[in-house]
């Protein structure tokens, strides 16, 4: 089963390699790999060690290194565009950020041409990822398969913001609405969170997260909140208590370790965080929740 996941991601990598000089749309990569965009980023990073964006940037910079070394007659601007950068300014900035030297200075310094500059200074270097993964202890969680019926919800769309205050405000707004309408918030399958974006990829100022609350009847529309339905589906579920690092480990385990070895693939719906306890009970720096990935059986 893991080979299925790797084969799909390899198709995305092949597309990146063949279209480095063009605009590469992450949504298109998800479609090429036959994964839902909701889960593509995490699956890609789980199998490659870096995000799709970081892979594209790294490969473009490595192509630029090759052209600088072996195509001395090419102008720096031509190398920038041929490597897929939209402008020479962006190329120069990205190059210097990664290698601590400008493209023109690298071209003139023949000693650097035979060095491992493109490996040693990159935080996204393949070997660095391997070393770091070996240093950290491998987390192990128990995964339960559960079938959940469709759940009608009211939800609010939050933007994380610079300090996370956007999430707090939207959660409190939803809880205030629940209190006004005498809706029970505690208990199983009551409160949910859904990452619309990947926090490891999307900037905090744009990162979207939905807070949802189960409802048992219809309500009049209210500004700032929407009504929807969590679909009936099978879910791969991990329950945990701990800090944000433990939550991240649980998600990593589901996407990196469990899913590729299972007979399941994610469906096109966001993964869920079901809050067993909320921040009003245990604070904002501790979590008691279930991580749920909606899945379907892979057809062979």
């Amino acid at each position: 089963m893991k080979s299925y996941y790797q084969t799909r991601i390899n198709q995305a990598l092949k597309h990146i390699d063949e279209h480095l000089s063009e605009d590469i749309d992450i949504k298109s990569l998800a479609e090429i790999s036959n994964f839902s965009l909701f889960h593509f980023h995490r699956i890609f990073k789980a199998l490659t060690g870096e995000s799709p964006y970081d892979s594209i940037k790294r490969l473009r910079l490595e192509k630029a290194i090759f052209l600088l070394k072996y195509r001395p007659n090419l102008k720096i601007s031509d190398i920038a565009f041929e490597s897929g950068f939209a402008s020479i300014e962006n190329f120069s900035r990205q190059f210097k950020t990664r290698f601590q030297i400008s493209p023109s200075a690298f071209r003139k310094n023949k000693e650097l041409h035979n060095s491992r500059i493109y490996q040693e200074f990159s935080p996204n270097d393949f070997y660095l990822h391997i070393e770091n993964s070996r240093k950290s202890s491998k987390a192990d969680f128990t995964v339960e398969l559960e079938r959940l019926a469709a759940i009608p919800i009211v939800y609010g769309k939050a933007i994380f913001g610079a300090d996370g205050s956007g999430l707090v405000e939207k959660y409190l707004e939803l809880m205030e609405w629940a209190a006004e309408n005498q809706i029970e918030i505690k208990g199983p399958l009551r409160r949910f969170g859904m990452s619309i974006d990947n926090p490891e990829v999307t900037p905090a100022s744009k990162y979207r997260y939905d807070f949802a609350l189960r409802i048992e009847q219809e309500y009049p529309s209210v500004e700032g909140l929407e009504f929807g339905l969590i679909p009936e589906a099978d879910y791969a579920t991990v329950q945990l208590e701990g800090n944000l690092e433990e939550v991240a480990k649980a998600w990593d385990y589901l996407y990196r370790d469990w899913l590729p070895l299972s007979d399941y693939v994610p469906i096109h719906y966001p993964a869920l965080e079901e809050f067993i306890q909320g921040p009003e009970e245990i604070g904002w720096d501790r979590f008691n929740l279930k991580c749920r990935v909606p899945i379907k059986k892979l057809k062979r």
Side-chain angles (χ1 to χ4, degrees):
M1 181 61 183
K2 189 171 184 177
S3 62
Y4 170 85
Y5 277 70
Q6 190 64 64
T7 298
R8 293 298 184 181
I9 293 302
N10 285 346
Q11 290 179 2
L13 289 169
K14 182 173 182 288
H15 182 84
I16 292 172
D17 284 333
E18 294 175 348
H19 298 85
L20 268 182
S21 61
E22 307 168 19
D23 287 335
I24 300 176
D25 180 62
I26 302 300
K27 183 179 179 181
S28 297
L29 291 179
E31 292 174 352
I32 289 167
S33 62
N34 200 31
F35 286 118
S36 164
L37 186 59
F38 288 121
H39 309 280
F40 172 69
H41 285 96
R42 280 187 167 129
I43 293 171
F44 188 100
K45 186 166 186 178
L47 295 185
T48 67
E50 58 189 355
S51 71
Y53 172 77
D54 285 337
S55 281
I56 293 169
K57 183 170 66 173
R58 173 179 58 80
L59 290 169
R60 283 174 170 165
L61 288 171
E62 289 175 1
K63 180 176 181 179
I65 286 281
F66 177 86
L67 294 175
L68 286 167
K69 288 172 64 175
Y70 299 111
R71 301 287 296 279
N73 295 328
L74 275 182
K75 296 179 180 178
I76 298 292
S77 58
D78 293 335
I79 290 175
F81 296 130
E82 192 168 331
S83 300
F85 292 92
S87 68
I88 188 172
E89 292 79 15
N90 178 257
F91 168 57
S92 297
R93 183 172 62 255
Q94 298 283 1
F95 193 97
K96 193 166 186 178
T97 296
R98 178 168 174 181
F99 303 127
Q100 288 80 55
I101 191 173
S102 69
S104 58
F106 173 82
R107 167 174 270 177
K108 294 175 183 176
N109 192 329
K110 301 302 181 182
E111 292 183 5
L112 286 179
H113 290 195
N114 296 320
S115 74
R116 294 180 70 250
I117 182 174
Y118 43 87
Q119 295 175 353
E120 292 170 347
F121 296 111
S122 172
N124 301 308
D125 184 81
F126 175 74
Y127 302 103
L128 186 60
H129 275 289
I130 293 177
E131 291 168 7
N132 288 341
S133 66
R134 286 172 177 168
K135 290 176 184 177
S136 62
S137 58
K138 185 176 180 180
D140 191 17
F141 296 89
T142 299
V143 177
E144 295 185 11
L145 298 181
E146 299 177 273
R147 181 77 180 178
L148 299 185
I151 303 173
I153 55 172
V154 56
Y155 63 98
K157 292 183 171 294
I159 301 293
F160 185 87
D163 56 1
S165 59
L167 295 186
V168 176
E169 291 174 4
K170 184 56 67 174
Y171 180 84
L172 294 177
E173 178 185 338
L174 182 60
M175 293 304 107
E176 182 179 354
W177 181 87
E180 292 173 354
N181 290 275
Q182 299 181 325
I183 296 176
E184 179 60 56
I185 65 171
K186 297 181 180 180
L189 300 175
R190 287 289 175 182
R191 286 172 290 183
F192 305 92
M194 292 172 276
S195 290
I196 307 304
D197 299 307
N198 188 333
E200 298 179 5
V201 177
T202 305
S205 60
K206 297 182 180 180
Y207 170 60
R208 299 170 296 168
Y209 189 91
D210 292 353
F211 283 111
L213 183 64
R214 181 177 190 149
I215 54 177
E216 308 294 344
Q217 65 182 63
E218 292 186 1
Y219 292 91
S221 60
V222 56
E223 185 177 355
L225 298 177
E226 300 181 37
F227 297 93
L229 191 72
I230 295 175
E232 178 179 1
D234 293 315
Y235 287 83
T237 301
V238 164
Q239 183 169 356
L240 68 102
E241 294 185 47
N243 58 20
L244 189 59
E245 182 178 341
E246 287 300 309
V247 177
K249 286 181 179 178
W251 284 119
D252 284 344
Y253 180 81
L254 278 167
Y255 281 96
R256 183 192 60 212
D257 300 315
W258 188 84
L259 266 175
L261 296 177
S262 74
D263 291 323
Y264 297 90
V265 291
I267 67 171
H268 187 63
Y269 192 81
L272 304 176
E273 291 178 337
E274 178 194 342
F275 300 105
I276 307 304
Q277 291 177 291
E280 60 279 302
E281 299 166 87
I282 57 175
W284 286 93
D285 57 348
R286 299 290 296 175
F287 301 89
N288 182 4
L289 52 78
K290 292 183 178 182
C291 300
R292 297 183 179 274
V293 179
I295 55 175
K296 64 179 179 180
K297 196 85 169 182
L298 177 64
K299 295 180 180 179
R300 296 187 180 278

